[in-house]
């Protein structure tokens, strides 16, 4: 059976793959494995109300308290878990995925994503029917024990329990749902204070912002304005069916147009739940996670706050990022793709910054998960300290041309061990030699195989990526 949890929670088409029953079981699991108080937040998808109702029903049926933060970015939930001293958190979001998808990801009491072992226990719990399944199993065991006791002439109490005493929570044991009215405000204040404490103001900055019809429409414009910036916002409304649609961090064309029309100093774009960010310079250069991490890491090193003089990234990081960090005397630790693996390495060794090219950036001095608004603000603070415009500040690293092709397939895991695909990759690697590299991996959240080729010659990168992608499409 396929694993329920991907690299970022449980995801699927809402009401088809991610059903109300599954959301209900995940709610029960949260209250059972994490504790009795769970902060619940969601993005702007139409299915959010439906799944929130089911998730909260699960939490309260297990005797838990659901603290309802409403529409709020994912990093806001991670922060609220700590601020409210809750046992855990749950976010209803499919991040950058299309509107028909949704997902549920869980945080522990410190706002961290759950380790694989805990997710495995939750999967087993759900597979067994949740609390109802446990109660039924206990009843069967109790009845069997009572029958054996009767056959031996002993009272049922002699085996330690009676079937009638094993039941679902009811009456005063049931949980409740409590609205958190100031959830977004607490998050905004946290981000703003992190910049003000550095003595930085965004006064004089003109910022173009695309909130992607997502949760950041309630937080990012306000935070940037409180820091003194002039903010020009697009896609800051929502109807539940427009989140991420041709906008936000995965579709930068609207931001590019706004930049050209407004003469903004920098552009910012979020995905649906605002746990990632992409930026843009006035000349139209896309500033991805590698470039943001390079600027922030060098700034942190100069300020003496770069823990271990080390940064964490993934195998998808541009080789130019690795070269820039090593040239500056900064060590680079690379992990599997997925911010959860970046976080694991950071926590294990006490590092303070890690990220992904896609725009997920974790700054443990400020939050426990990817935080698009915090990342954008810390990046802008570093740029302002440098005294350079954004176009110049990002020149601390030179990107090696990289081509990434997403190939939609029937079974993304079938790419492993496929002889035709392996031969195509080997041929590309031989042709590139020391002037490039090839990386092939299944997506953690979609039925997609990602084909990435880096090469000094961009035409070679494109040609080899297209050749491998064609073989994947034909054979997987």
């Amino acid at each position: 059976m396929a694993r329920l949890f991907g690299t970022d929670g449980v995801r699927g088409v809402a009401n088809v793959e991610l059903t109300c029953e599954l959301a209900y079981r995940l709610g029960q699991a949260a209250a059972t494995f994490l504790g009795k108080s769970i902060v619940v937040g969601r993005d702007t998808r139409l299915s959010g109300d439906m799944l929130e109702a089911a998730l909260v029903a699960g939490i309260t049926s297990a005797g838990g308290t659901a603290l309802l933060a409403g529409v709020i970015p994912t990093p806001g939930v991670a922060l609220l878990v700590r601020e409210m001293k809750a046992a855990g958190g749950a976010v209803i979001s499919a991040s950058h995925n299309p509107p028909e998808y949704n997902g549920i990801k869980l945080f522990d009491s410190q706002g961290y994503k759950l380790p694989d072992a805990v997710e495995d226990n939750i999967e087993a719990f759900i597979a067994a029917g949740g609390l109802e399944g446990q109660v039924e199993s206990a009843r069967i065991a109790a009845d069997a024990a009572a029958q054996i006791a009767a056959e031996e002439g002993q009272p049922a109490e002699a085996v330690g329990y009676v079937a009638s005493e094993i039941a679902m929570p009811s009456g005063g044991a049931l949980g409740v749902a409590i609205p958190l009215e100031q959830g977004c405000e607490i998050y905004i204040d946290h981000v703003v204070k992190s910049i003000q404490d550095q003595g930085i103001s965004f006064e004089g900055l003109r910022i173009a912002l695309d909130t992607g019809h997502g949760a950041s429409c309630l937080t990012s414009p306000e935070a940037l304005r409180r820091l003194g910036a002039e903010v020009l916002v697009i896609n800051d409304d929502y109807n539940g069916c427009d989140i991420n649609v041709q906008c936000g961090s995965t579709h930068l064309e609207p931001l590019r147009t706004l930049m050209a029309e407004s003469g903004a100093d920098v552009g910012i774009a979020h995905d649906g739940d605002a746990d990632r960010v992409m930026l843009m310079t006035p000349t139209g250069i896309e500033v991805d996670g590698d470039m943001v991490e390079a600027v922030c890491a060098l700034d942190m090193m100069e300020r003496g706050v770069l823990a271990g003089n080390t940064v964490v990234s993934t195998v998808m990081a541009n080789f130019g990022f690795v070269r820039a960090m090593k040239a500056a005397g900064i060590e680079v630790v690379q992990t599997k793709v997925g911010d959860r693996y970046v976080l694991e390495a950071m926590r294990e060794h006490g590092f303070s910054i890690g990220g992904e090219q896609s725009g997920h950036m974790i700054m443990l001095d400020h939050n426990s998960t990817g935080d698009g608004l915090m990342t954008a603000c810390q990046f802008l603070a570093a740029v302002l300290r440098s005294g350079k415009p954004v176009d110049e500040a990002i020149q601390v690293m030179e990107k090696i041309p990289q081509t990434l092709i997403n190939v939609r397939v029937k079974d993304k895991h079938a790419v492993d061990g496929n002889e035709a695909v392996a031969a195509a990759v080997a041929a590309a690697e031989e042709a590139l030699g020391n002037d490039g590299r090839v990386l092939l991996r299944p997506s953690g959240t979609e039925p997609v195989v990602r084909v990435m080729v880096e090469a000094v010659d961009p035409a070679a990168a494109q040609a080899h990526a297209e050749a491998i992608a064609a073989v994947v499409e034909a054979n997987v």
Side-chain angles (χ1 to χ4, degrees), residues 316-319 357 400-404 437 452-455 461:
M316 287 292 286
N318 189 278
F319 190 58
Q357 190 180 78
I400 301 299
Q402 184 183 79
T403 297
L404 176 64
R437 68 173 182 132
M452 191 273 284
V453 180
E454 283 180 333

Side-chain angles (χ1 to χ4, degrees), residues 227-409:
L227 286 166
E230 177 187 356
V231 186
L232 309 166
V233 195
I234 54 173
N235 301 318
D236 56 338
D237 58 345
Y238 58 89
N239 60 25
C241 297
D242 51 6
I243 185 172
N244 299 321
V245 177
Q246 299 302 311
C247 61
S249 62
T250 52
H251 299 280
L252 295 176
E253 295 80 10
L255 180 64
R256 190 181 305 280
T257 299
L258 179 60
M259 289 285 291
E261 293 174 348
S262 66
D265 300 302
V266 66
I268 297 173
H270 292 300
D271 61 336
D273 68 335
D275 64 349
R276 69 169 72 183
V277 67
M278 295 287 279
L279 295 103
M280 184 174 290
T281 74
T283 57
I285 298 174
E286 297 178 11
V287 184
D288 64 17
D290 290 343
M291 300 165 83
V292 169
E293 186 170 8
V295 169
C296 290
L298 290 169
D299 174 71
M300 291 170 69
M301 182 180 71
E302 291 177 4
R303 291 188 290 128
V305 295
L306 182 62
N309 210 39
T310 300
V311 296
V312 182
S313 190
T314 75
V315 293
M316 287 292 286
N318 189 278
F319 190 58
F321 168 76
V322 178
R323 292 201 302 182
M325 293 297 95
K326 290 185 176 179
I330 297 174
E331 294 296 319
V332 180
V333 173
Q334 290 183 279
T335 72
K336 293 189 295 183
V337 173
D339 61 323
R340 64 180 301 148
Y341 302 113
V342 171
L343 178 59
E344 284 176 6
M346 293 175 69
R347 294 184 69 189
E348 181 179 354
H349 301 288
F351 301 138
S352 51
I353 184 171
E356 295 186 282
Q357 190 180 78
S358 61
H360 277 114
M361 197 67 55
I362 302 171
M363 298 178 169
L364 287 183
D365 293 338
H366 303 293
N367 208 341
S368 55
T369 192
D371 190 333
L373 175 58
M374 180 66 77
T375 298
C377 288
Q378 297 300 326
F379 171 80
L380 291 177
V383 169
L384 290 170
R385 267 190 293 267
S386 75
K388 301 173 182 177
V390 178
D391 274 300
E392 290 184 28
I394 61 173
Q395 291 177 16
V396 295
M397 70 162 277
E398 180 183 357
K399 291 188 71 174
I400 301 299
Q402 184 183 79
T403 297
L404 176 64
I405 299 177
N406 294 323
V407 185
R408 192 161 289 273
V409 295

Side-chain angles (χ1 to χ4, degrees), residues 135-149:
V135 168
E136 182 61 23
S137 295
R139 281 176 173 160
I140 292 171
D143 288 342
Q147 183 176 350
I148 292 171

Side-chain angles (χ1 to χ4, degrees), residues 24-97:
Y24 172 75
R25 297 294 182 210
L26 285 165
Q28 287 187 331
T32 301
F33 289 89
L34 303 179
K36 296 304 183 184
S37 56
I38 306 295
V39 176
V40 178
R42 57 186 170 87
D43 67 20
T44 58
R45 292 164 207 272
L46 194 63
S47 59
D49 287 342
M50 174 188 76
L51 292 171
E52 180 185 64
L55 181 76
V56 170
I59 293 170
T60 53
S61 78
T65 298
L67 303 172
L68 307 182
V71 174
I72 188 172
T74 286
V77 173
L79 174 70
L80 285 174
V81 168
R82 298 189 299 277
E83 291 291 320
M84 305 303 297
K85 295 183 172 21
V91 181
I92 303 165
S93 171
S95 192
H96 63 286
N97 289 156

